[in-house]
């Protein structure tokens, strides 16, 4: 059954769109990530214009992140103050990112930059995760005592303590410079508008390793920030480019809700390091695809693109 | 003087005494295509009559032209180890849709006539006149692949010597707007008659409402998109919580 999506201006099979949403949802239920890094490339692969895919994906992420956020909020695992500082940086970053996006689009190099962002940022993260999880899987059978560096080892850099605007974050039991989370939010915000992803994937490790936040506070706080950033990107894209396809977003949301349920049910049956291993493989696959697009001779040297 | 004018009128009026004496008459089965949410593309039937049967040196050509658009054609090139966009050629105000259906070989038509009426894809006015220009070639080939540009010699079918019909197909990627369907009749390379029929393709139903809303009230559209997403995210949370309790 095909549906004509009015903003994408094309017919796509409904079950294909539901399936895409479900894959994203399973990923988010299993790994606690938004799934945008999977869904945006898949939408583009199906034939949705990249500008519509990125904007619509932001709309879908609003739904995905708010339902996750509510779950963490109920357990009291959200540091609103920290989230607020991250958000200030994120909003500034996404403004810069949107400006960068249109500048790169004019220069004709937006595809290259998107691909490079995926390969460099997601690729290095996935590689790190792969090595860590393989090491973990190899070590665990012998004895249970694995030396894990505590988060304190990572964030006690002298220069971090000498930054101005020191702020107390009672929920996270931290006393650090507000510039640090703002900078993380800013940097992730730029990547969000360039790559059409929620950014939790990049923000979560930064919050654990750079800020030294308690691990249980991290997902809820990052989802809190992502909800607002994706909502703002949705509004910006609607006003500036009219590229948010509400109908496409709703079908994707429906699929991802079902997928998230499945993911949450499967998650407890798989060990944590295996999950990270699988996630790393999937992300490396996406990055490999992008890298191949950059390095291999394309099937057609020409591309026809509409000018808005 | 008045006698002369009346005489002139009489001469002019003779060929139009009744419909059968017109050299060409044609019409479409529909003058409007509505793109609804189940749109898969649509076929229209063009039917018409000729007052005299086509001879071996005569041609019947139907040109369907869609609203214009502007496209960039990008060429990738290798720089170091990476393939990236090197050159861009912009095609401004070209037809988004161009189908040519013909009956006859077009061999008796002069190059000037073919070019003036743009009766083959190679003779369309697209930036450069050279049909082998790689950018132009890439554009036309992509359009052909999407079913938006076409040259066809089999669709026009005659039922007897005078009556003809043709299937005009509009693929799913058609742009909305004003289309024109022009039928040309050539006898021994000379144009005898031409008739143009308008056709409107527009969005309809809820899809049209969404599109219209997105373009006329962009801010509130964005707000609604966010509210809907927040609501469905909240619903998902409520359903999940009930299940887990």
């Amino acid at each position: 059954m095909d549906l004509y999506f009015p903003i994408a201006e094309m017919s796509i099979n409904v079950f294909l769109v539901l399936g895409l949403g479900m894959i994203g949802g399973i990923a988010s239920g299993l790994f606690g990530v938004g799934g945008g890094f999977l869904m945006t490339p898949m939408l583009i692969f199906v034939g949705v214009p990249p500008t519509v895919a990125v904007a619509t994906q932001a709309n879908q992420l609003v739904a995905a992140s708010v339902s996750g956020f509510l779950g963490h909020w109920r357990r009291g695992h959200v540091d609103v103050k920290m989230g607020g500082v991250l958000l200030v940086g994120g909003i500034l970053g996404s403004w810069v990112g949107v400006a960068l996006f249109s500048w790169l689009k004019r220069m004709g190099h937006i595809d290259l930059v998107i691909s490079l962002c995926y390969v460099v940022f997601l690729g290095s993260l996935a590689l790190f995760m792969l090595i860590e999880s393989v090491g973990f899987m190899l070590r665990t059978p012998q004895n249970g005592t694995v030396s894990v560096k505590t988060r304190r080892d990572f964030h006690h850099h002298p220069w971090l303590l000498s930054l101005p605007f020191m702020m107390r974050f009672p929920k996270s039991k931290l006393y650090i410079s507000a510039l640090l989370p703002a900078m993380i939010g800013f940097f992730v915000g730029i990547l969000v508008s360039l790559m059409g992803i929620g950014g939790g994937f990049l923000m979560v490790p930064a919050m654990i390793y750079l800020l030294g936040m308690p691990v249980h506070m991290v997902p809820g706080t990052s989802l809190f920030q992502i909800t607002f950033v994706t909502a703002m990107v949705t509004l910006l894209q609607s006003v500036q480019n009219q590229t948010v396809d509400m109908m496409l977003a709703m079908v994707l949301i429906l699929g991802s809700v079902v997928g998230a349920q499945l993911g949450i049910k499967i998650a407890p049956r798989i060990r944590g390091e295996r999950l990270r291993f699988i996630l790393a493989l999937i992300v490396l696959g996406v990055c490999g695809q992008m890298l191949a697009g950059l390095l291999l001779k394309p099937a057609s040297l020409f591309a026809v693109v509409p000018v808005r | 003087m008045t006698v002369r004018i009346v005489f002139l009128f009489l001469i002019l009026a003779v060929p139009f005494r009744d419909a059968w004496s017109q050299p060409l008459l044609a019409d479409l089965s529909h003058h409007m295509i509505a793109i609804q949410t189940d749109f898969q593309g649509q076929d229209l039937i063009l039917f018409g009559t000729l007052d005299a049967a086509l001879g071996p040196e005569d041609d019947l050509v139907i040109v369907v032209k869609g609203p214009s658009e502007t496209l960039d054609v990008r060429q990738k090139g290798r720089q170091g180890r990476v393939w990236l966009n090197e050159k861009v050629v912009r095609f401004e105000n070209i037809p988004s849709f161009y189908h040519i259906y013909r009956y006859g070989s077009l061999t008796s038509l002069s190059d000037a006539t073919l070019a003036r009426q743009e009766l083959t894809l190679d003779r369309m006015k697209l930036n450069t006149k050279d049909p082998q220009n790689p950018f132009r070639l890439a554009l036309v080939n992509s359009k052909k692949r999407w079913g938006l540009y076409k040259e066809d010699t089999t669709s026009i079918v005659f039922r007897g010597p005078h009556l003809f019909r043709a299937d005009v197909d509009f693929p799913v990627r058609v742009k909305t707007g004003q289309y024109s369907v022009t039928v040309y009749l050539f006898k021994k390379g000379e144009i005898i008659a031409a008739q143009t029929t308008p056709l409107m393709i527009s969005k309809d139903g809820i899809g049209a409402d969404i599109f219209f809303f997105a373009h006329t009230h962009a801010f509130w559209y964005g707000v609604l998109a966010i509210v809907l997403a927040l609501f469905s995210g909240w619903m998902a949370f409520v359903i999940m919580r009930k299940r887990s309790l």
Side-chain angles (χ1 to χ4, degrees):
Chain A
M1 196 181 84
D2 287 18
L3 258 188
Y4 183 86
F5 294 97
I7 306 291
E9 303 202 295
M10 61 181 299
S11 287
I12 321 170
N13 190 299
V14 187
F15 299 107
L16 182 64
V17 180
L18 280 173
L20 290 184
M22 226 162 108
I23 292 171
I26 291 174
S28 71
L30 265 182
F31 312 120
V33 295
F37 71 94
L38 278 176
M39 281 160 82
T40 308
M42 282 193 298
L43 281 175
I44 296 171
F45 184 73
V46 168
V48 175
T51 48
V52 177
V54 169
T56 304
Q57 195 45 44
N59 192 9
Q60 189 270 335
L61 285 170
V62 174
S65 48
V66 80
S67 71
F69 157 74
L70 288 169
H72 290 285
W73 176 260
R74 198 164 56 107
R75 289 182 219 111
H77 293 169
V78 178
D79 185 338
V80 176
K81 193 174 178 188
M82 178 69 83
V85 177
L86 282 166
L87 184 58
V88 171
I91 285 175
L92 288 175
S94 59
W95 276 95
V96 172
V98 167
L100 205 62
F101 190 94
S102 46
W103 181 70
L104 287 166
K105 214 170 128 189
R106 271 204 309 280
M107 304 297 283
H109 290 309
I110 186 71
D111 310 343
L112 174 75
V113 172
I114 291 175
S115 300
L116 279 179
C117 281
Y118 267 88
V119 171
V120 172
F121 293 109
L122 291 187
S124 52
L125 205 62
L127 213 60
F128 174 75
M129 212 157 58
L130 191 76
I131 293 165
E132 188 222 39
S133 60
V134 167
F136 206 84
M137 279 193 281
L138 291 177
R139 261 177 292 162
T140 33
Q142 281 96 31
N143 53 6
T145 55
V146 180
S147 74
V148 180
K149 277 188 178 178
T150 62
R151 57 197 169 83
R152 298 289 165 205
D153 297 337
F154 287 91
H155 86 119
H156 268 204
H157 307 294
W159 66 274
L160 292 181
L161 291 171
S162 61
L163 283 170
F165 305 111
M166 292 299 282
M167 203 182 256
R168 221 168 271 287
F169 296 97
K171 266 217 114 158
S172 301
K173 299 190 180 68
L174 282 177
Y175 181 59
I176 52 167
S177 164
L179 281 180
L180 212 58
M183 256 151 50
I184 291 172
F186 180 78
F187 186 65
V188 172
I190 292 177
L191 293 178
V192 167
S193 21
L194 284 181
M195 294 160 76
I197 60 173
F201 204 86
L202 295 163
M203 205 154 45
V204 166
M207 287 159 84
I208 295 172
Y209 295 122
L210 291 178
L211 299 183
M213 273 179 75
V215 176
H216 68 274
M217 297 295 288
V218 168
T221 307
S222 93
L223 285 169
F224 169 80
Q225 193 258 13
I226 291 167
T227 305
F228 283 99
V229 171
T230 51
M232 208 199 60
V233 171
T234 304
L235 195 62
L236 271 178
Q237 298 277 21
S238 299
V239 172
Q240 285 192 341
N241 306 320
Q242 288 94 43
T243 41
V244 177
D245 197 316
M246 223 188 256
M247 208 152 98
L248 186 57
M250 289 313 284
V251 180
L252 284 172
I253 289 169
L254 198 66
S256 68
V257 166
V258 178
Q261 297 257 27
L262 280 175
I264 289 166
K265 274 197 185 136
I266 304 167
R269 294 182 199 164
I270 310 176
R271 291 230 303 272
E273 63 271 19
R274 293 239 169 98
L275 272 179
R276 284 204 298 279
F277 180 71
I278 296 165
L279 178 61
L281 282 187
I282 295 172
V283 178
L284 277 179
V286 174
C287 293
Q289 176 102 28
M290 295 269 182
L291 195 63
L294 286 177
L295 298 181
L296 300 180
K297 189 178 166 80
S300 166
L301 287 180
F302 293 93
V304 179
V305 284
V307 179
R308 276 188 181 268
Chain B
M1 183 68 189
T2 39
V3 175
R4 271 195 199 166
I5 288 172
V6 169
F7 188 57
L8 198 69
F9 264 133
L10 274 176
I11 290 173
L12 284 173
V14 166
F16 304 108
R17 264 189 327 245
D18 60 63
W20 287 108
S21 60
Q22 283 198 31
L24 168 71
L25 253 187
D27 201 4
L28 282 169
S29 55
H30 294 87
H31 290 273
M32 164 100 197
I33 294 178
I35 298 182
Q36 295 189 322
T37 46
D38 59 351
F39 184 68
Q40 305 292 316
Q42 193 171 334
D43 283 3
L44 289 189
I45 298 164
L46 183 136
F47 52 90
T49 62
L50 304 176
D51 70 339
L54 284 184
E57 293 181 334
D58 302 342
D59 301 284
L60 184 67
V61 186
I62 301 167
V63 175
V64 186
K65 196 174 173 179
S68 54
E69 65 180 346
T70 299
L71 294 175
D72 277 347
V73 179
R74 295 193 190 135
Q75 184 184 26
K76 279 201 168 171
R78 197 168 181 176
Q79 285 185 5
R81 294 209 47 80
V82 184
W83 288 87
L84 41 86
N85 294 321
E86 270 187 345
K87 211 179 155 197
V88 183
V89 173
R90 179 160 291 187
F91 290 81
E92 279 189 69
N93 297 319
I94 56 158
S96 61
F97 182 97
Y98 206 80
H99 278 195
I100 303 159
Y101 302 87
R102 64 169 210 241
Y103 191 91
S105 59
L106 301 185
T107 45
S108 52
L109 296 182
S110 69
D111 273 347
T113 310
L114 288 171
R116 191 168 53 244
Q117 318 291 359
E118 301 177 271
L119 294 179
T120 66
L121 290 182
D122 282 353
R123 282 168 173 95
M124 283 178 73
K125 296 179 186 92
L126 301 170
N127 286 20
T128 154
K129 280 193 171 157
D130 173 21
Q132 292 309 313
N133 176 293
F135 287 89
R136 181 190 161 125
L137 211 57
L139 173 78
V140 172
N141 284 339
S142 299
K143 286 281 192 182
K144 276 186 181 168
R145 202 165 51 244
W146 298 327
L148 295 170
Y149 281 15
K150 186 161 96 164
E151 269 175 310
D152 175 293
T153 54
T154 56
S155 273
I156 300 181
V157 181
F158 270 87
R159 309 266 185 234
H162 299 287
L163 198 63
F164 67 91
R165 59 167 281 170
D167 290 320
V168 182
D169 62 317
F170 294 91
V172 72
R173 289 183 81 138
V174 286
K175 230 177 141 70
T176 55
Q178 180 86 43
Y179 284 63
S180 70
V181 182
T182 308
V183 188
Y184 298 97
L185 175 63
F186 297 95
K187 294 236 177 206
K188 295 195 170 67
E190 292 299 317
I191 187 158
I192 297 295
Q195 187 188 344
T196 302
T197 312
L199 169 70
M200 194 70 196
I201 299 187
S202 53
K203 294 191 173 88
D204 194 24
I206 184 156
D209 297 338
I210 292 176
F211 185 86
F212 186 72
F213 185 34
H215 284 261
T216 51
H217 302 282
F219 178 80
W220 293 110
Y221 177 89
V223 170
L224 181 67
I226 295 166
V227 169
L228 277 176
L230 287 175
F231 179 74
S232 42
W234 175 74
M235 282 288 290
F237 164 72
V238 169
I239 293 165
M240 263 186 259
R241 193 179 55 176
K242 279 201 178 142
R243 285 241 180 134
S244 61
L245 283 177

